[in-house]
Amino acid sequence: MAVDYAVIILYLAGMLAMGWWGMRRARSNSEFLVAGRRLGPFMYSGTMAAIVLGGASTIGGVGLGYQYGLSGAWMVFTIGLGLLALSVFFSARIARLKVYTVSEMLDLRYGGSAGVISGVVMWAYTLMLAVTSTIAYATIFDVLFGLDRTVSIILGGVIVVAYSTLGGMWSITLTDMVQFVVKTVGVLLLLLPIAVVKAGGFGELRAELPDSYFAPLGIGAQTVFTYVLIYSFGMLIGQDIWQRVFTARGDRVARLGGTAAGTYCLVYALAGAVIGTAAKVLYPHLGSPDDAFATIVKDALPVGVRGLVLAAALSAVMSTSSGALIACATVANNDIWSRLRGAVGGGERAGEHDEVRGNRVFILLMGAAVIGIAIALNDVVQALTVAYNLLVGGLLVPILGGLLWKRGTGAGALAAVAAGGATVIALMFWRGVLANEPIYYGLLVSLAAYVTVSLASRPTDPAVLAEWRSRLATPAEPGKSSLSGV
């Protein structure tokens, strides 16, 4: 294992070095939060693919393949579909708004009446997303070094918090690009073919496993539909995803780079399911489907390659964790604290240097909270389900309504957030966190409240709508950067 350890240690040291380098670039709020809005197509597509394909997509995707066969690809596949829809239909419009958070978009569209409550919902979502990613360190470091769960979470969490705090989005973008390359080589180019060959080839997979493992809807049509509602729609409105859209240097980059990232997700989804299916043939009696990834890496791969593939899993977790962390800190600072401070102290705006320092403080604070909650929490799936149910049930309708329906109002948006969020919470208590009903009925109630209250209330101020249309009509100006050609 000495070679594998060396690969992992070099990788972690490289992450910290890139955080230090990113600190030299992040001298303004725009540079720190959205990389100066200057990313070219290659860096944009790489960092977007890295943020959406986390530990759940890698370890969980292989686990679903182990349990259900090729239809286990649907969870990650719906993530890719959501990213494609965002990129093709909405990303250019979102990039033109020149905001930092989803709540600022709602303020711009509805005239400042929906920001605080939406900020609280988005903050809860990004916090739990960061927590679930951080918990995954325990699995990986246990496989690598046999470390205690708490020590593993602290070690992985501190590294992510360190490079995120130092350079903000620049550091995260650079580390995401490395993570994207490592993930591609480790999972797609190495683990996938080796796993299939070790299992005896595709013919052996068909001979050893039941037909349900190769049925397109073997996982269940209702499960696929729920994945679409939660993950595809979640990709359209998550702060962690939008914050990456804001980094694009122009409309074309946001559209084409995001389309490339979404297509990559579809390939990654199928690869994970195939690896899990091969693991089922090799290790038919594992205690948990989520053990499939670690087991096949430890037993089927040669020295050195094993370290690279484990680094790929670590990359997947770190990219999602760092993206969720900076999103959580951005929402906490810009959408919640700054509004409370403005209400108390008159809203005096800090200088750019002070804003960067303030965002660094919030990343540290949110990072400490994430590590603490991750240590105390055990059920990752339930935490992630709560996060996505609240996000989609509370915010999908007012966000898409604001983009698509000019008659939507601030009162309607507030009603949609409150009614949808309350319905989701009530049904999770009644039917269970993992039930399908909370997201189904939450969306229906949110839509009904939005339309009814919008039609019953006064239309949005024409001046507000004029500013909104002006922003949407102005193409995002390409930024100039030493990396602009990348």
Side-chain angles (χ1 to χ4, degrees):
M1 291 290 289
V3 176
D4 296 327
Y5 291 160
V7 171
I8 299 298
I9 291 170
L10 285 173
Y11 168 77
L12 295 175
M15 297 299 99
L16 292 174
M18 289 185 181
W20 183 262
W21 187 89
M23 183 176 65
R24 299 166 63 89
R25 299 189 63 92
R27 301 186 182 279
S28 70
N29 212 37
S30 176
E31 295 282 354
F32 190 85
L33 294 180
V34 291
R37 307 184 194 274
R38 295 189 291 179
L39 296 191
F42 178 68
M43 292 195 76
Y44 177 85
S45 59
T47 191
M48 183 63 85
I51 179 66
V52 300
L53 295 174
S57 300
T58 303
I59 299 171
V62 171
L64 287 172
Y66 183 89
Q67 188 172 4
Y68 298 105
L70 299 186
S71 67
W74 273 110
M75 184 187 77
V76 183
F77 204 83
T78 56
I79 290 174
L81 292 178
L83 186 52
L84 284 172
L86 174 71
S87 302
V88 172
F89 299 111
F90 300 108
S91 62
R93 304 177 75 190
I94 293 169
R96 294 176 184 182
L97 296 176
K98 298 293 185 184
V99 295
Y100 291 118
T101 69
V102 174
S103 295
E104 288 179 25
M105 168 264 170
L106 292 172
D107 276 353
L108 183 65
R109 168 61 180 82
Y110 295 114
S113 58
V116 175
I117 187 172
S118 63
V120 171
V121 173
M122 189 64 74
W123 173 79
Y125 157 73
T126 53
L127 179 71
M128 295 312 298
L129 184 61
V131 166
T132 56
S133 301
T134 302
I135 291 174
Y137 297 132
T139 301
I140 297 172
F141 282 115
D142 177 54
V143 172
L144 288 173
F145 307 117
L147 294 178
D148 175 75
R149 178 181 185 274
T150 299
V151 174
S152 298
I153 289 173
I154 293 174
L155 176 59
V158 165
I159 291 172
V160 169
V161 172
Y163 73 69
S164 301
T165 302
L166 286 172
M169 188 59 80
W170 270 123
S171 295
I172 292 172
T173 297
L174 294 170
T175 54
D176 277 356
M177 286 307 301
V178 175
Q179 290 159 355
F180 171 72
V181 172
V182 170
K183 200 156 38 180
T184 301
V185 173
V187 175
L188 298 185
L189 301 184
L190 293 176
L191 182 58
L192 174 61
I194 291 174
V196 173
V197 170
K198 287 280 187 181
F202 287 105
E204 187 67 16
L205 297 182
R206 291 301 303 259
E208 291 290 330
L209 297 172
D211 291 341
S212 62
Y213 267 68
F214 304 94
L217 296 177
I219 198 171
Q222 187 178 41
T223 299
V224 175
F225 181 63
T226 302
Y227 283 162
V228 170
L229 288 183
I230 293 177
Y231 296 114
S232 296
F233 287 156
M235 289 297 105
L236 299 181
I237 59 175
Q239 170 66 27
D240 51 326
I241 310 302
W242 277 40
Q243 201 156 342
R244 301 308 173 98
V245 176
F246 301 149
T247 66
R249 76 166 186 243
D251 294 355
R252 183 178 176 82
V253 170
R255 187 181 300 110
L256 296 184
T259 301
T263 304
Y264 178 89
C265 291
L266 303 183
V267 175
Y268 200 88
L270 185 59
V274 171
I275 293 167
T277 304
K280 182 66 175 179
V281 171
L282 293 169
Y283 318 103
H285 304 297
L286 292 179
S288 168
D290 285 340
D291 293 336
F293 180 87
T295 302
I296 198 169
V297 168
K298 287 179 66 177
D299 292 351
L301 300 184
V303 173
V305 174
R306 181 170 50 205
L308 184 59
V309 174
L310 287 172
L314 194 58
S315 297
V317 174
M318 282 188 162
S319 58
T320 300
S321 181
S322 59
L325 177 60
I326 194 171
C328 178
T330 302
V331 171
N333 189 16
N334 289 26
D335 293 336
I336 299 175
W337 172 245
S338 65
R339 296 169 192 269
L340 294 175
R341 183 180 59 186
V344 174
E348 186 175 322
R349 186 172 178 80
E352 285 288 302
H353 178 72
D354 290 337
E355 287 184 341
V356 171
R357 183 174 60 187
N359 281 306
R360 282 197 172 106
V361 169
F362 268 87
I363 289 179
L364 281 172
L365 292 174
M366 294 299 104
V370 164
I371 292 171
I373 295 171
I375 291 171
L377 197 64
N378 286 319
D379 198 325
V380 180
V381 174
Q382 290 200 8
L384 191 61
T385 302
V386 169
Y388 270 100
N389 279 350
L390 285 174
L391 173 71
V392 176
L395 291 182
L396 178 69
V397 169
I399 291 173
L400 293 189
L403 289 168
L404 300 173
W405 189 40
K406 65 180 181 181
R407 184 60 179 84
T409 66
L414 281 172
V417 174
T423 301
V424 164
I425 292 171
L427 286 174
M428 282 193 294
F429 273 110
W430 180 36
R431 303 293 294 178
V433 169
L434 299 180
N436 293 323
E437 288 86 352
I439 191 64
Y440 294 168
Y441 291 107
L443 278 173
L444 289 175
V445 170
S446 180
L447 178 61
Y450 182 71
V451 173
T452 302
V453 176
S454 291
L455 293 175
S457 57
R458 296 181 59 182
T460 305
D461 187 339
V464 172
L465 286 178
E467 172 62 18
W468 170 258
R469 295 193 189 101
S470 175
R471 294 256 192 131
L472 289 180
T474 305
E477 291 293 331
K480 294 181 179 181
S481 166
S482 59
L483 297 173
S484 62
V486 176

